[in-house]
Every structure is written in C-alpha cells, then in structure tokens.
Amino acid sequence: MTRIGSKGRRRACGALTSALALAIIATGCSKDMDDLGYTPTTLGVEEARAKTKAVSSQIFDMIGIKQGKTSEPGPGVSTCAEDPERLFMSRHPWSIYGVSEDELKRGFARLKESLPNNGWKIVEYGPNRSAAKTLELTADSEKERFSINAELHVSGDSREKQPLILVHVVSGCYRAPEGTDLNGIY
C-alpha cells in the first residue's frame, strides 16, 4: 500500500466523516442500546479490525484493480454513542488510484455488479449531492453488520487531480469483552 498526499488525506478525513455518518445512520444515534435493533456481538478490538480488513479485502477483490495503488492506514475503531463504555465500531476508509480513469470506471461497475452476488444489498446508487455529482453507491451486507460507501472520483470534477475510487467500510457496533478499556482507542 502507498501513502496518499495531503489532498488525499483531506479527502480521507472527509471520507471518515461520511463513514461515521453512515455508521450513525446504520446503528442509530440514541443513547439507548435497545435502539440499535440488534444485540451486539462480543468481539475484541483487534478481532474487529481484522474482520473489517477482511471485508475491505473482499471489496477490493470485487473492484478487481490489482495494479492500482491503495491508501493507508488500516481499519480503526471508535466507540458507539449508544454505550461508549462497552460498545465500539470499526471503520476503514481507503482508496484505490494510480490507474486510468477508464480502469477506475470499469472497477466501479464491477463493484456494483458483484455486490448483490456476494451478499450485499445496494441501498443507494447514483450521483451524490456534491457540485461534481460524484457517482456513489452504498450497500449493506446481508450476512454481517457492515455497510460500505464507494465514490468514483474522475475528471468530471474539474478539481480532481488524481482519479480514484474512495471506499468506506463501517461495521455495526460490537460489545467489548469484559474488562476492555475503550478510552483512547483509535
């Protein structure tokens, strides 16, 4: 994996905000854990990171651009608002770049086509509300509590210097094992 420049980091920060918003939508924003609509699975922080990384790898494989560069770092975690002492989620914003716009467009189309065949339900697809009307899709896993959001950034946006596919993978909330201190996790 290759690090991205400052513009890419700014984009990733925006992506993180979007990913966290997606997680809040997916998990609710009430302080009452009953509002989650499910009972969180108990899982260690490192196991949750590994699970999220595996989902990201599946998404990468569906995109099918092996020669592209990908951004770092790996999955992070944060607490869930419903019970920040015991519940946390994992998220992994990343991008693939360094290939032609046509290859990115084909990869995005492969992702859209592959998701339903791999246990994902596409819940939103089309141009987003940005000035550039960036093509975006959001999907929920039908197997596990994960959502993804992917955006295709190509030359239709005159500000776009480096074409890429931006992906956000976000888990539902997990319950930390007894005795786990979630203060300061990232």
Side-chain angles (χ1 to χ4, degrees):
M1 296 198 167
T2 306
R3 292 207 176 269
I4 54 178
S6 62
K7 185 173 182 177
R9 281 193 293 276
R10 284 193 303 271
R11 193 177 295 123
C13 287
L16 180 57
T17 302
S18 297
L20 291 176
L22 179 66
I24 289 169
I25 290 167
T27 61
C29 54
S30 168
K31 294 283 185 193
D32 186 348
M33 198 165 40
D34 292 337
D35 287 346
L36 285 173
Y38 61 92
T39 301
T41 303
T42 300
L43 194 65
V45 171
E46 292 311 313
E47 291 85 1
R49 285 184 212 268
K51 199 172 206 178
T52 302
K53 187 173 184 174
V55 170
S56 284
S57 292
Q58 292 169 2
I59 300 304
F60 179 82
D61 290 344
M62 285 184 234
I63 293 170
I65 302 176
K66 304 295 184 203
Q67 68 278 20
K69 297 176 183 175
T70 56
S71 59
E72 293 185 29
V77 294
S78 58
T79 57
C80 294
E82 291 78 7
D83 187 349
E85 298 296 315
R86 297 181 291 177
L87 298 179
F88 69 97
M89 72 172 92
S90 182
R91 71 249 181 293
H92 189 196
W94 56 275
S95 60
I96 186 165
Y97 61 98
V99 295
S100 71
E101 286 190 6
D102 286 340
E103 185 59 30
L104 290 169
K105 289 175 185 178
R106 287 190 296 271
F108 200 81
R110 279 190 296 272
L111 177 62
K112 181 180 183 266
E113 186 176 302
S114 298
L115 283 166
N117 298 329
N118 287 281
W120 292 83
K121 179 180 179 184
I122 296 175
V123 296
E124 190 174 321
Y125 177 80
N128 65 19
R129 296 183 198 159
S130 71
K133 303 291 184 207
T134 302
L135 187 58
E136 179 175 14
L137 74 79
T138 302
D140 295 331
S141 173
E142 295 177 319
K143 299 173 185 174
E144 300 188 61
R145 297 207 180 276
F146 278 95
S147 292
I148 66 150
N149 177 269
E151 299 175 2
L152 176 63
H153 291 265
V154 291
S155 62
D157 180 354
S158 61
R159 297 170 292 151
E160 199 60 55
K161 298 287 190 241
Q162 179 151 4
L164 55 84
I165 296 174
L166 183 61
V167 178
H168 317 126
V169 177
V170 182
S171 75
C173 292
Y174 295 110
R175 178 179 300 280
E178 195 66 38
T180 302
D181 182 6
L182 295 177
N183 290 317
I185 62 167
Y186 59 92

